[in-house]
Amino acid sequence: MNDQPIGICDSGIGGLTVAKEIIKSLPNENIIYLGDTARVPYGVRNKETITKFAFELVKFLLLKNVKAIVVACNTISATCLPELQKISPVPIIGVIKPTVSAVVNNLKTKTIGVIGTRATVNSNSYELEIKKLNNQIIIFSQACPLLVPLAEEGLISHPATKIIVKEYLQYFQDKKIDTLILGCTHYPILMTTIQEVIGENINIVDPAKPTALRLIKVLETNNLLGNNSRHWY
Amino acid sequence: MNDQPIGICDSGIGGLTVAKEIIKSLPNENIIYLGDTARVPYGVRNKETITKFAFELVKFLLLKNVKAIVVACNTISATCLPELQKISPVPIIGVIKPTVSAVVNNLKTKTIGVIGTRATVNSNSYELEIKKLNNQIIIFSQACPLLVPLAEEGLISHPATKIIVKEYLQYFQDKKIDTLILGCTHYPILMTTIQEVIGENINIVDPAKPTALRLIKVLETNNLLGNNSRHWY
């Protein structure tokens, strides 16, 4: 039993989709959510800048005496997660490995599409992690840089959003994917438009739930589960 | 005669539209251009964050021994220009006052539209500066937050850009404006689409040229003109 808080960080407010799932799964934990709204978005920046910002986020959370950290940001998870884990005295989990495990365990999955920020897609992280678990699976990835500002502006099912989503997802048209991973925490906000464009037959995967489930396992394994009343900082 | 460089700063690369005009007008000056691509965009952030970032930009340029600073960013010019001028030992000019002077001096101007980031529009800076010079002029302002990411992604005359520009500019439909100020250094990139949507009869004003002309005057007045060969840093 451990009453220290869990730290969740993201480039902005997108990671609240992950935080929501964690709070639902772990109602007795204290949560510190750190969203870098002063420097969002991260996905358009270079590796050096993203890594610098990510270290600052983790160091801030460590000063708050957290017992574990969830990097609820695909861009950071794809860019420098091992480096963060190296300097941290507490467990750090990202969103990519938990999501990939959940997807690969679904035996129906043969061909996966991944959409994300430019940094996430250029890192090839989803492809590398999937291939580690099952190198028979085929992966196609597409960067969708405009979806973050469209989601932030609330243009959820706006005609312009539909045109842009259609253009991005057109890449998958002849790829016969059965699964589409939303490799950015902002994208679940546009779920309706994405599902409409990609079609009802494609299984869309939101990293929030697998990440929350992985956190529970990590807390259990390290004997870190808490029993607090819930506080928001 | 003064051979120190001129500093130009912006939240990112948008200010290069101003830098280009300055280089054209002052070919014998050395220029240091500082674009904060690690933290762009500024226009969606709060006053405190924008001010903090702006002070860092100015201090950086002062350490480079500049003889004058051009804040080629409407958001900074609208948010904290007087505070920056207070701490600076060298002249600092923004983009709003020079643009407003040029517009007000045109006797045909009766009703002005201004488009800009949310921070620029919420500050009412254009309105305040115009009213100081001529309180008979009527001003209507509209924030266009998605135009920066659309310009950055190069969707210059894309159907989605046209839909979004049309929606933003619809606000001016019954306002009978004769002039439209592009109150963000990114917007000249979308000039063709903006002119097409607003109509050929409306005079569109880009702050780059009036800002370059103001800089020449400031350098002349302060005996700061240089005669260097041109260097880029």
Side-chain angles (χ1 to χ4, degrees):
Chain A
M1 201 72 77
N2 182 309
D3 289 342
Q4 291 168 250
I6 294 162
I8 304 176
C9 63
D10 182 48
S11 61
I13 58 163
L16 286 173
T17 56
V18 178
K20 193 178 157 191
E21 202 60 50
I22 290 172
I23 291 162
K24 215 165 76 182
S25 310
L26 290 163
N28 296 323
E29 298 288 345
N30 290 327
I31 304 285
I32 297 179
Y33 183 87
L34 174 60
D36 190 2
T37 53
R39 301 185 296 197
V40 69
Y42 281 18
V44 292
R45 314 203 192 279
N46 62 29
K47 186 178 161 66
E48 193 189 349
T49 305
I50 297 163
T51 305
K52 181 177 176 290
F53 291 174
F55 269 84
E56 287 170 5
L57 297 183
V58 165
K59 283 177 184 167
F60 180 92
L61 289 174
L62 289 173
L63 286 173
K64 297 287 174 193
N65 201 27
V66 296
K67 62 183 171 188
I69 293 173
V70 178
V71 172
C73 172
N74 280 271
T75 298
I76 300 175
S77 302
T79 304
C80 56
L81 195 66
E83 290 95 313
L84 297 172
Q85 286 166 329
K86 243 182 236 168
I87 61 125
S88 172
V90 306
I92 300 191
I93 68 166
V95 286
I96 296 177
K97 279 193 182 183
T99 308
V100 163
S101 301
V103 168
V104 171
N105 285 338
N106 182 342
L107 294 176
K108 285 181 194 161
T109 305
K110 307 283 180 221
T111 307
I112 297 175
V114 179
I115 54 175
T117 65
R118 214 167 257 138
T120 299
V121 167
N122 288 348
S123 75
N124 275 324
S125 297
Y126 272 99
E127 180 152 7
L128 294 168
E129 292 299 333
I130 291 167
K131 292 285 186 193
K132 272 186 207 168
L133 300 180
N134 182 342
N135 68 8
Q136 300 297 303
I137 292 177
I138 299 163
I139 303 112
F140 297 100
S141 303
Q142 168 75 352
C144 304
L146 280 167
L147 299 194
V148 170
L150 287 167
E152 278 180 353
E153 286 300 318
L155 272 64
I156 293 171
S157 50
H158 190 277
T161 305
K162 278 187 193 166
I163 290 174
I164 289 170
V165 169
K166 263 185 198 166
E167 252 185 53
Y168 286 145
L169 299 187
Q170 198 171 21
Y171 169 71
F172 298 115
Q173 212 172 17
D174 57 350
K175 304 292 188 294
K176 296 184 180 166
I177 60 168
D178 46 58
T179 301
L180 180 71
I181 296 176
L182 305 184
C184 171
T185 48
H186 274 88
Y187 296 175
I189 298 165
L190 304 176
M191 180 69 102
T192 319
T193 302
I194 293 171
Q195 186 82 68
E196 192 188 315
V197 171
I198 199 80
E200 292 299 325
N201 297 331
I202 310 293
N203 177 34
I204 296 186
V205 179
D206 171 359
K209 199 160 191 171
T211 305
L213 294 175
R214 174 65 60 95
L215 174 64
I216 296 173
K217 271 196 187 168
V218 168
L219 294 178
E220 278 173 354
T221 311
N222 293 277
N223 199 26
L224 290 172
L225 279 167
N227 194 22
N228 298 317
S229 57
R230 192 189 310 156
H231 297 297
W232 274 88
Y233 295 85
Chain B
M1 199 72 78
N2 183 309
D3 288 344
Q4 290 168 253
I6 294 162
I8 304 176
C9 62
D10 182 48
S11 62
I13 57 163
L16 287 173
T17 55
V18 178
K20 194 178 156 191
E21 203 59 50
I22 290 172
I23 291 162
K24 216 165 76 182
S25 311
L26 290 162
N28 295 323
E29 298 289 345
N30 290 328
I31 304 285
I32 297 180
Y33 183 87
L34 174 60
D36 190 2
T37 53
R39 302 184 295 195
V40 68
Y42 281 16
V44 293
R45 314 202 192 282
N46 60 30
K47 185 176 161 67
E48 192 189 347
T49 305
I50 296 163
T51 305
K52 181 177 176 288
F53 291 173
F55 270 84
E56 288 169 5
L57 298 183
V58 165
K59 283 177 185 168
F60 180 93
L61 288 174
L62 289 173
L63 285 173
K64 298 286 173 194
N65 201 27
V66 295
K67 63 183 171 187
I69 293 174
V70 178
V71 172
C73 171
N74 280 271
T75 298
I76 300 176
S77 301
T79 305
C80 56
L81 195 67
E83 290 95 312
L84 297 172
Q85 286 166 329
K86 242 181 238 170
I87 62 125
S88 172
V90 306
I92 300 191
I93 68 166
V95 285
I96 296 177
K97 279 192 181 184
T99 307
V100 163
S101 302
V103 169
V104 172
N105 285 338
N106 182 342
L107 293 176
K108 286 183 195 160
T109 305
K110 306 284 179 220
T111 306
I112 299 176
V114 178
I115 55 175
T117 65
R118 213 167 259 138
T120 299
V121 169
N122 289 347
S123 75
N124 276 325
S125 298
Y126 272 99
E127 181 152 10
L128 295 168
E129 292 299 334
I130 291 167
K131 292 285 187 194
K132 272 187 208 169
L133 299 182
N134 182 342
N135 66 9
Q136 301 295 306
I137 292 178
I138 299 163
I139 303 112
F140 297 99
S141 303
Q142 168 74 353
C144 304
L146 279 166
L147 299 195
V148 170
L150 287 166
E152 278 180 354
E153 287 301 317
L155 272 65
I156 292 170
S157 49
H158 190 277
T161 306
K162 278 187 192 167
I163 291 174
I164 289 170
V165 169
K166 264 185 197 166
E167 252 184 52
Y168 286 145
L169 299 188
Q170 198 170 21
Y171 169 71
F172 298 113
Q173 211 172 17
D174 57 351
K175 306 291 188 291
K176 297 184 179 167
I177 60 168
D178 46 60
T179 302
L180 180 69
I181 296 176
L182 305 185
C184 170
T185 47
H186 275 88
Y187 297 175
I189 298 166
L190 304 176
M191 180 69 103
T192 319
T193 303
I194 293 170
Q195 186 82 70
E196 191 188 315
V197 172
I198 200 77
E200 292 298 327
N201 298 332
I202 310 293
N203 176 33
I204 296 186
V205 179
D206 171 359
K209 199 159 192 172
T211 305
L213 294 176
R214 174 65 59 96
L215 175 64
I216 295 173
K217 272 196 187 168
V218 169
L219 294 178
E220 278 172 354
T221 310
N222 292 278
N223 198 23
L224 290 172
L225 279 166
N227 193 21
N228 299 316
S229 56
R230 192 188 314 156
H231 296 297
W232 273 88
Y233 295 86

